[in-house]
Each structure stands twice: as structure tokens, then as C-alpha cells.
Amino acid sequence: EVQLVETGGSLVQPGKSLKLTCATSGFTFSNAWMHWVRQSPEKQLEWVAQIKAKSNNYATYYAESVKGRFTISRDDSKSSVYLQMNSLKEEDTAIYYCTANWAYWGQGVMVTVSS
Amino acid sequence: DIVMTQAPLSVSVTPGESASISCRSSKSLLHSNGITYVYWYLQKPGKSPQLLIYRMSNLASGVPDRFSGSGSETDFTLKISRVEAEDVGIYYCGQLLENPPTFGGGTKLELK
């Protein structure tokens, strides 16, 4: 059974940092292209970041809205992908999902940025 | 960025009847390899999005064949035949042709 479990969500103040983890199982993680997608309170889906597989040199891509503040990484030995979020803004408030190859999705984790 | 526009915003369907949801992209989603990179997802209440259709017309694993996808280079349709109670939720189309991937605003399906 395929599983993706996100953790690390929290209530944080603007300007602070947070790291999300997505632990996976049930598929060949090392070959998967992993993404983070967020969903605003208005239900709009927004792609955040992508990391490709080792065969693609772990290439990374970011949405303009998070470029320079967020960093995606992965650990194939742990079948996990991460999202380091720095300089958080109120508009980063959302449910964050990880997805593998756009086919498998985690249950999501809430990030609230507020003073 | 490619803009994805869905219609209608919401649809109310009698169980057993069919429903169609439209999605339009601001740019052709047909790749030179012949594949059209539009995807459809259903987000049931309180759940994460689940893949229904990939590459415009391919049914994802485990998805009932009551669901079907079709379209052209810029206009796409998701059809649900014989709507059931478990089909309630928000449907999203998305384009994965180029970065950044983008999604429509969603269509909420409810039962009459």
C-alpha cells in the first residue's frame, strides 16, 4: 500500500522558519519525482516545489512566490522528501501536500503563519 | 503561466444521472510527443486530492469507469456517468505540460 505522511506543520510567526517532512512507503521512492503543493483556505491548489530523481541530478524547481525562501530536498535512504520554509509570510498559510509523480498524495499538513 | 479555467463553479446532480465539468487552458497542452498533459483530480470532503484521469483520457488505477476524460488541445471535459454519493467533492483540472504546474479553481459537485 502506498503511503505518504506529512509532518511538521504548525502555527508560526511571520519571519520564522519551519521544516516539513513527507515520509513515504509502498513505491520506488528513488525513481519518483516529488512535489509539494499547497491549498489555500479558499481551496485553490498551488504548486510549490519539485525535486527530480537521482538520474535527473536531483534537479529542483520552485514557484516564484517561494523562490529564495523555500528549499526542497530528499533522502532516498529514508524515502522522504522535505520542505524547508524560511522567512514565512502570512500568505504561506495553507495545507501542504506532498505528491509522488502527481499520482500519490499525502493527507496534508497545516501551516499557519500569524502573529 | 498557463491559466486553467473551470466551469461551472458548482453542479448539482441527481444520483444516477450524468455530469460534465469543463476546463479550458490558456495555451495548448499538446506536447510534441503527442501527449496532452491535462489531469483531473477529485478532492472528497476532508481528504487530499486523488487522481482520476491522467494525460487527458487515461483512467487512473482503481478509478471506476464511470469517469472519463476527453478534449482537444485547450478544451477538456470530465464526464461522470451514473453519479453516486461517493462522487461528491471538488473536482480540479491541472496542467503538467510545463512549469509551473497550474490548476483550475475547482468545481464542486453535490447531490440533489
Side-chain angles (χ1 to χ4, degrees):
Chain A
E1 180 192 7
V2 172
Q3 285 194 317
L4 293 84
V5 179
E6 301 97 335
T7 57
S10 179
L11 167 63
V12 294
Q13 294 178 329
K16 299 295 188 181
S17 299
L18 201 61
K19 186 174 184 177
L20 305 182
T21 297
C22 171
T24 77
S25 61
F27 64 98
T28 307
F29 179 83
S30 59
N31 293 339
W33 291 9
M34 300 298 297
H35 303 260
W36 287 94
V37 176
R38 64 188 181 185
Q39 186 170 38
S40 66
E42 296 75 30
K43 300 295 189 182
Q44 179 64 48
L45 293 172
E46 179 189 17
W47 170 78
V48 174
Q50 174 192 27
I51 185 165
K52 293 187 175 181
K54 181 178 180 181
S55 57
N56 307 106
N57 298 315
Y58 298 123
T60 59
Y61 305 88
Y62 298 92
E64 284 298 323
S65 59
V66 306
K67 196 173 292 184
R69 300 188 298 122
F70 290 12
T71 302
I72 188 171
S73 60
R74 63 191 293 163
D75 184 339
D76 290 350
S77 69
K78 295 182 178 180
S79 297
S80 294
V81 62
Y82 309 95
L83 187 66
Q84 176 68 46
M85 304 184 293
N86 298 331
S87 303
L88 282 161
K89 304 176 180 180
E90 290 189 351
E91 51 263 42
D92 295 319
T93 294
I95 297 173
Y96 284 73
Y97 298 99
C98 63
T99 170
N101 296 331
W102 295 108
Y104 309 124
W105 293 60
Q107 86 288 350
V109 64
M110 185 71 208
V111 173
T112 303
V113 184
S114 175
S115 54
Chain B
D1 298 359
I2 297 176
V3 177
M4 304 294 285
T5 304
Q6 285 184 237
L9 287 178
S10 65
V11 60
S12 184
V13 186
T14 300
E17 299 294 311
S18 65
S20 290
I21 298 170
S22 297
C23 176
R24 176 169 291 177
S25 60
S26 61
K27 175 183 174 180
S28 172
L29 300 185
L30 176 62
H31 191 277
S32 57
N33 62 12
I35 296 172
T36 303
Y37 285 90
V38 64
Y39 288 56
W40 288 96
Y41 293 89
L42 165 59
Q43 186 172 32
K44 296 182 179 181
K47 301 294 186 180
S48 58
Q50 63 180 90
L51 180 63
L52 297 175
I53 302 289
Y54 63 98
R55 298 178 180 179
M56 191 171 71
S57 59
N58 296 276
L59 202 62
S61 177
V63 175
D65 60 7
R66 300 182 291 102
F67 292 87
S68 62
S70 63
S72 63
E73 296 185 23
T74 59
D75 289 272
F76 313 101
T77 301
L78 175 71
K79 183 175 181 180
I80 312 165
S81 304
R82 306 180 304 281
V83 169
E84 300 182 3
E86 66 178 20
D87 301 335
V88 166
I90 303 176
Y91 289 80
Y92 295 93
C93 61
Q95 69 79 19
L96 303 182
L97 177 68
E98 62 184 41
N99 278 347
T102 49
F103 297 88
T107 296
K108 187 174 185 178
L109 185 146
E110 57 185 18
L111 300 181
K112 283 184 180 176

